[in-house]
Amino acid sequence: MKINWGTAIVLVFIGFISFIMYFVVKMNTNEKYSHDLVTEEYYKEELAFQKEIDAEENAKALKNNIEVKKTEDGLLIVFPEDINYTSISGTISLYRPSNKKLDFEIPIALSSPELIIKDENMIEGRWNITIDWMYDHTPYLFKKSFVY
């Protein structure tokens, strides 16, 4: 059987479309390739953005800002030593861009100016940390991306 050039072009197009459709179906059905939005309530969070900017400016105005370090025990968060750490309240949010299931949040309850997040709670890779804290009725915000 002889195939003319018109039939060959149609077969090539059908093969190419089948190839593309295979990968589209594979990417949409396989959990390994599941990717989520950065946040579920994007527009709601966007409305509170000016408060976030003000809190970041407050944190930058401090003499000493928060320090985040990787240690043998885990992730060490050091709050400024020139303020009374017992009056600090807020939350620490750890966000994993590659997997929403690894995200977690910790309330701030300090017994010293240092807080450690245990090594077993952290998995190697890229993390975003957001520390939203309040001291003396002033909001502060610290954000940082790091590789653990």
Side-chain angles (χ1 to χ4, degrees):
M1 176 174 166
K2 198 170 187 185
I3 298 177
N4 66 15
W5 62 272
T7 307
I9 290 175
V10 169
L11 291 175
V12 168
F13 276 125
I14 290 171
F16 179 72
I17 291 169
S18 300
F19 175 74
I20 296 297
M21 288 304 294
Y22 166 75
F23 282 107
V24 167
V25 169
K26 183 177 179 179
M27 292 295 288
N28 286 328
T29 58
N30 194 340
E31 285 296 318
K32 179 180 173 185
Y33 303 115
S34 177
H35 299 288
D36 297 315
L37 295 173
V38 173
T39 180
E40 295 293 329
E41 298 175 348
Y42 175 78
Y43 293 109
K44 184 178 178 183
E45 289 185 15
E46 190 67 29
L47 294 174
F49 193 58
Q50 185 60 47
K51 291 178 185 175
E52 192 174 301
I53 292 171
D54 294 339
E56 280 185 277
E57 291 298 320
N58 291 340
K60 288 178 184 175
L62 290 171
K63 192 184 314 180
N64 298 319
N65 205 349
I66 292 175
E67 294 179 33
V68 177
K69 303 173 193 171
K70 181 181 177 181
T71 63
E72 297 166 358
D73 299 328
L75 187 68
L76 178 68
I77 301 168
V78 181
F79 285 87
E81 293 180 6
D82 56 342
I83 61 175
N84 183 6
Y85 60 84
T86 57
S87 301
I88 295 174
S89 63
T91 58
I92 298 171
S93 301
L94 283 143
Y95 166 72
R96 180 71 184 243
S98 63
N99 190 346
K100 180 169 104 171
K101 295 173 186 159
L102 297 175
D103 297 352
F104 62 95
E105 195 169 279
I106 302 169
I108 298 173
L110 300 174
S111 58
S112 73
E114 298 177 349
L115 176 74
I116 193 153
I117 298 172
K118 300 271 185 208
D119 191 44
E120 62 251 11
N121 296 335
M122 303 293 293
I123 295 174
E124 290 183 1
R126 183 173 181 272
W127 288 89
N128 294 343
I129 187 168
T130 303
I131 303 173
D132 186 10
W133 56 293
M134 175 107 32
Y135 175 73
D136 200 24
H137 304 293
T138 306
Y140 297 95
L141 184 67
F142 175 82
K143 288 184 173 183
K144 183 177 181 180
S145 296
F146 63 94
V147 177
Y148 188 77

